[in-house]
Amino acid sequence: MFVESVVRWGSWSALLLWVGVATGGTPASSSPWPCPPRCSCHQERLEANCSSQHLSSVPEGFPRDTRLLDLSRNRLKTLARRGFLGLSQLRQLDLSANVLSMIEVEAFQGLPGLQTLLLGGNRLKILPVGAFSGLPGLRLLDLSRNEILVFLDHTFRELGGLRRLEAGENDLVFVSPRAFSGLAGLAELELDRCNLTSVPTEALSQLQGLWRLRFRRLSLSALPNDSFRGLGRLRELSLSQCPRLSALAPNSLLGLNLTSLTVARCNLTAVPYAAVRHLVYLRHLDLSHNPIAVVRAHLLGDLLRLQELHLVGAGLLRVEPGAFRGLARFRLLNVSANRLSTLEEAAFHAVGSLETLRLDGNPLACDCRLLWVVRRRLRLDFDGRPPACHTPVRAQGRGFRGLSEAELPGLFTCRPARILNRKPQEARVEEGHTALFSCRADGDPAPAISWLTPQLAPLSPTGRVRVLPDGSLEVRYAQVQDSGTYLCVAANAAGNQSFSVGLHVRGFSSSSSSSSFSSSSRNRSSAFFSEGWAPPSGNPAPANGSAQGAGPFPFDGKTLVIAVTMGSLSFLSSVVICFVFMFFWSRSKGQLKHTATIDFVPRPAGGASRQGGDRFETGRFTMKLI
Ligand SMILES: *[C@@H]1O[C@H](CO)[C@@H](O)[C@H](O)[C@H]1NC(C)=O
Ligand SMILES: *[C@@H]1O[C@H](CO)[C@@H](O)[C@H](O)[C@H]1NC(C)=O
Ligand SMILES: *[C@@H]1O[C@H](CO)[C@@H](O)[C@H](O)[C@H]1NC(C)=O
Ligand SMILES: *[C@@H]1O[C@H](CO)[C@@H](O)[C@H](O)[C@H]1NC(C)=O
Ligand SMILES: *[C@@H]1O[C@H](CO)[C@@H](O)[C@H](O)[C@H]1NC(C)=O
Ligand SMILES: *[C@@H]1O[C@H](CO)[C@@H](O)[C@H](O)[C@H]1NC(C)=O
Ligand SMILES: *[C@@H]1O[C@H](CO)[C@@H](O)[C@H](O)[C@H]1NC(C)=O
Ligand SMILES: *[C@@H]1O[C@H](CO)[C@@H](O)[C@H](O)[C@H]1NC(C)=O
Ligand SMILES: *[C@@H]1O[C@H](CO)[C@@H](O)[C@H](O)[C@H]1NC(C)=O
């Protein structure tokens, strides 16, 4: 809607110019158009050009109907009060690239029709209030490339018609709260390369009509809440080259209804999901050149109308499946020059809407995960830079566009995850000891290994029961309630496989069951330091931790009596959990084929422990009676 009005204004001014040429220009007159020395004048265009003439003062004697006066690249130092009086038809005045350090109050008085005033590339440090008075028709004011330090209150007071103010590349350190008062019509503001350390929120809130705001080189470290309050009509916001800016507060963009947001070349370490989620009209998001490693799943779904995401040169490692879920209109993804090894189809809501993809400059692994890109290689717009394979070696450097149909079956394939060394693993350890289960898998791409607790909750790399970096499961300071069946899942894009292991933690022997039981709720790490149990690779011999002599389960009558008399809920609940698990476990025997070809045998390996297995069964039965 605003675009429309700008366009309308544009055609109106063109019309005005045309009318001016037709009526006021007296083109029929044969008398030469007066022109000051060292200037060249074009009567037909009503232009006077005195550019690059070493002028140190504004010449006199310009034709009164001059529309454009070019005084750029001279040596003008000051502009005197009412220095342009008489040029009432002037539309554009170019004073850029002089050495102006002073503009007197009312310097531009008498130029009611002036629309464009160019003062860029001078040495202005301060703008006196009133310097721009008498310019009600001014549309564009360029103050960039000066040395302006502050914008004082009411500097632009009388510029009610100003649409665009360019104030980039100054030394701005302060913008006074009322500096922009009176600029009700300002649509575009550019404050590039300023030395501001905060967003001049108060001053900006005067700009009710602002539509596009560009900041560059602010030295902010975080964008505070409500930074842009009062800018309800702002549609395009760009913050760039803010090397210290590492966070946008969750409410920093509150009150804005943007269609385009750029936060580029800053120090953001994550996509500012919380700050942008209310921007439901956002179409263009550019977070390029920030150290963002991951685009997380399901966090951008609120940006219903998002069409373009640019995340160039961000060191991006992963785009999680589901990252663009909900973005039905998503059509351009620019992630060139990152560290992505793949980009899965599952990241998108629907790849059918994707038109442009820049994936070049990434170490791409050409396996089945990228098959969707190859299949669309002739339809997708790669913006002139088709992606190329980094691995496997035989495809290294091959561009996607150049691949023939015949080659595809050999490339872009995956091998499903496969768990190696699927020998049954079962550990019997005493309370307080450590148990270790290995789980190694291969496949292409390399599978991710995860472990599930007997309750089927995923385990993390931290905590007492944790997954080690090599994929092993470690249970430290084992407790009786840790007993149960743990599941290792190896998964890659081509499939997954799982494998279960059993852990039996034995409580303390009956002779000291009372004291050991009470100690089970205390910190035992110092008293019982771990005696690791690790399955010897390739050899399923019983582990060191397995207690061969004593019964595998400590649920003898005495312990139970103590448990009951103490009313220990935690003890009972762990017994119940153990029991429930063993129940399912025994039922699932031989029925795990859909996830893996595991032959899980819930008994200690080796014939010597056959007895232990029997006793185990007995133990279960006893518990069932409880
Ligand atoms: C004025 O003349 C200079 C060269 O002398 C040229 O570069 C500049 O574009 C001219 N200005 C206009 C407004 O035509
Ligand atoms: C503004 O920043 C520029 C570049 O960082 C620096 O040269 C200049 O001295 C700064 N000006 C002030 C007033 O701090
Ligand atoms: C910003 O707003 C959020 C949400 O209201 C609030 O949790 C946070 O404390 C605020 N931060 C500051 C610096 O005021
Ligand atoms: C960018 O952020 C990192 C930590 O997130 C910090 O160590 C670094 O100093 C920041 N860079 C700048 C220029 O502030
Ligand atoms: C937000 O902007 C969109 C597009 O510019 C517009 O259609 C919508 O009405 C605006 N919403 C509000 C609440 O201003
Ligand atoms: C992607 O980003 C690069 C670097 O910013 C830019 O040059 C290119 O034009 C962008 N491509 C598209 C299609 O936007
Ligand atoms: C394993 O595969 C099955 C079916 O193929 C799937 O439902 C399940 O979510 C997968 N699990 C993991 C962890 O990938
Ligand atoms: C247990 O005790 C050890 C040594 O006394 C101590 O280092 C450790 O932090 C304690 N752990 C807990 C969970 O209290
Ligand atoms: C098993 O026990 C023997 C002797 O008791 C010891 O030498 C060996 O290192 C132990 N193995 C493991 C894996 O702890």
Side-chain angles (χ1 to χ4, degrees):
M1 114 198 99
F2 172 73
V3 183
E4 250 173 56
S5 69
V6 167
V7 169
R8 218 180 300 128
W9 173 76
S11 50
W12 171 79
S13 66
L15 186 72
L16 198 91
L17 207 66
W18 180 78
V19 169
V21 171
T23 59
T26 61
S29 149
S30 60
S31 66
W33 213 41
C35 194
R38 292 205 256 171
C39 296
S40 62
C41 299
H42 305 274
Q43 187 177 6
E44 66 288 1
R45 283 183 268 148
L46 299 170
E47 281 179 21
N49 192 341
C50 320
S51 180
S52 312
Q53 298 300 323
H54 309 287
L55 298 171
S56 53
S57 63
V58 177
E60 292 189 2
F62 290 107
R64 303 189 70 85
D65 51 359
T66 308
R67 307 232 153 216
L68 186 152
L69 176 53
D70 188 345
L71 287 165
S72 63
R73 299 171 199 284
N74 283 298
R75 294 181 185 162
L76 304 180
K77 280 206 179 86
T78 59
L79 294 180
R81 188 163 177 258
R82 298 174 188 251
F84 298 95
L85 215 55
L87 295 173
S88 59
Q89 301 298 310
L90 207 59
R91 295 282 178 269
Q92 178 170 341
L93 177 56
D94 190 347
L95 290 160
S96 50
N98 279 281
V99 288
L100 290 172
S101 58
M102 178 66 191
I103 298 180
E104 287 184 13
V105 173
E106 296 185 358
F108 305 106
Q109 199 73 31
L111 304 175
L114 196 69
Q115 291 172 356
T116 303
L117 177 55
L118 307 177
L119 287 164
N122 281 289
R123 298 195 186 152
L124 298 170
K125 279 196 159 53
I126 202 119
L127 298 168
V129 176
F132 301 113
S133 68
L135 295 171
L138 201 65
R139 298 274 164 169
L140 166 63
L141 175 58
D142 181 4
L143 292 169
S144 56
R145 290 167 284 119
N146 279 285
E147 296 157 18
I148 301 170
L149 292 164
V150 292
F151 282 144
L152 301 174
D153 280 349
H154 308 297
T155 303
F156 307 104
R157 186 178 46 194
E158 288 165 71
L159 301 178
L162 199 67
R163 312 297 297 203
R164 188 164 150 203
L165 174 58
E166 304 216 353
E169 301 188 42
N170 278 290
D171 292 340
L172 221 51
V173 290
F174 182 64
V175 178
S176 180
R178 313 236 141 246
F180 298 134
S181 72
L183 292 178
L186 196 73
E188 291 181 54
L189 175 61
E190 193 167 311
L191 283 172
D192 287 4
R193 210 182 288 182
C194 293
N195 291 15
L196 293 175
T197 53
S198 67
V199 176
T201 303
E202 187 70 34
L204 290 173
S205 69
Q206 318 269 311
L207 301 172
Q208 308 284 330
L210 200 65
W211 181 73
R212 174 187 289 152
L213 176 59
R214 289 179 53 188
F215 273 115
R216 246 167 71 193
R217 305 193 194 199
L218 288 182
S219 25
L220 292 175
S221 57
L223 200 61
N225 281 347
D226 268 332
S227 288
F228 300 99
R229 84 180 93 92
L231 298 180
R233 301 192 46 194
L234 196 69
R235 292 293 176 267
E236 294 184 13
L237 174 63
S238 166
L239 298 168
S240 57
Q241 287 169 285
C242 307
R244 294 179 53 220
L245 184 67
S246 54
L248 306 188
N251 287 342
S252 54
L253 305 177
L254 211 66
L256 295 182
N257 177 14
L258 301 175
T259 57
S260 169
L261 174 65
T262 300
V263 185
R265 297 185 189 276
C266 298
N267 199 15
L268 299 182
T269 50
V271 176
Y273 303 102
V276 303
R277 59 178 305 168
H278 70 284
L279 301 174
V280 294
Y281 285 92
L282 199 67
R283 292 200 297 262
H284 173 109
L285 179 59
D286 186 348
L287 299 170
S288 296
H289 302 287
N290 283 289
I292 297 176
V294 185
V295 181
R296 301 234 170 262
H298 308 300
L299 288 174
L300 290 170
D302 291 328
L303 305 181
L304 297 172
R305 295 172 180 83
L306 194 70
Q307 297 180 358
E308 294 185 17
L309 176 65
H310 299 261
L311 245 167
V312 177
L316 203 58
L317 283 168
R318 223 152 21 98
V319 176
E320 292 186 350
F324 309 127
R325 183 52 42 99
L327 311 184
R329 304 189 194 176
F330 199 61
R331 54 174 200 80
L332 185 151
L333 179 65
N334 192 348
V335 286
S336 74
N338 281 297
R339 291 186 282 152
L340 292 172
S341 62
T342 195
L343 178 65
E344 290 183 51
E345 184 172 4
F348 297 87
H349 187 80
V351 285
S353 66
L354 195 68
E355 294 166 12
T356 308
L357 177 64
R358 278 284 302 262
L359 193 54
D360 55 294
N362 285 289
L364 297 177
C366 286
D367 56 37
C368 62
R369 295 168 296 172
L370 283 172
L371 194 58
W372 71 274
V373 179
V374 183
R375 287 218 178 102
R376 288 174 170 74
R377 69 191 183 283
L378 301 177
R379 250 176 300 152
L380 275 176
D381 176 5
F382 291 129
D383 191 24
R385 306 277 180 92
C389 298
H390 184 72
T391 54
V393 176
R394 68 202 142 91
Q396 197 160 33
R398 298 290 306 276
F400 282 26
R401 273 271 158 78
L403 295 167
S404 72
E405 210 60 46
E407 289 177 277
L408 295 188
L411 293 168
F412 299 97
T413 53
C414 286
R415 228 166 359 99
R418 191 172 58 97
I419 292 178
L420 305 169
N421 188 17
R422 307 170 52 80
K423 303 264 167 55
Q425 289 182 36
E426 195 166 347
R428 290 163 187 270
V429 298
E430 293 202 346
E431 243 187 322
H433 288 227
T434 294
L436 191 68
F437 300 97
S438 78
C439 182
R440 286 182 303 120
D442 69 1
D444 182 18
I449 292 184
S450 54
W451 282 90
L452 302 178
T453 62
Q455 294 78 23
L456 299 182
L459 284 164
S460 72
T462 55
R464 192 175 56 80
V465 182
R466 59 177 183 168
V467 181
L468 300 178
D470 70 352
S472 305
L473 174 69
E474 185 189 57
V475 181
R476 288 181 295 169
Y477 317 126
Q479 297 182 7
V480 172
Q481 62 266 31
D482 294 336
S483 302
T485 305
Y486 291 78
L487 200 65
C488 169
V489 181
N492 71 9
N496 58 34
Q497 201 174 48
S498 59
F499 176 59
S500 51
V501 300
L503 173 66
H504 313 290
V505 182
R506 202 172 57 104
F508 289 98
S509 62
S510 46
S511 61
S512 61
S513 58
S514 161
S515 65
S516 72
F517 178 73
S518 61
S519 82
S520 71
S521 56
R522 281 201 240 111
N523 179 357
R524 290 155 301 168
S525 63
S526 51
F528 306 97
F529 196 70
S530 61
E531 188 67 47
W533 181 91
S537 56
N539 177 7
N544 270 7
S546 295
Q548 302 295 322
F553 280 90
F555 305 133
D556 55 301
K558 197 171 167 188
T559 309
L560 286 177
V561 166
I562 291 162
V564 171
T565 49
M566 289 180 73
S568 167
L569 272 177
S570 68
F571 181 86
L572 282 177
S573 62
S574 63
V575 168
V576 168
I577 289 172
C578 282
F579 165 64
V580 168
F581 253 85
M582 278 181 281
F583 178 69
F584 282 115
W585 180 31
S586 63
R587 295 215 48 183
S588 66
K589 224 193 290 185
Q591 293 174 16
L592 289 169
K593 286 209 178 74
H594 60 290
T595 51
T597 55
I598 305 161
D599 184 20
F600 184 76
V601 184
R603 62 176 161 78
S609 340
R610 191 82 203 107
Q611 281 261 308
D614 289 338
R615 242 177 287 141
F616 164 69
E617 293 290 323
T618 317
R620 189 168 68 82
F621 185 71
T622 311
M623 284 196 301
K624 197 173 180 179
L625 286 175
I626 291 172

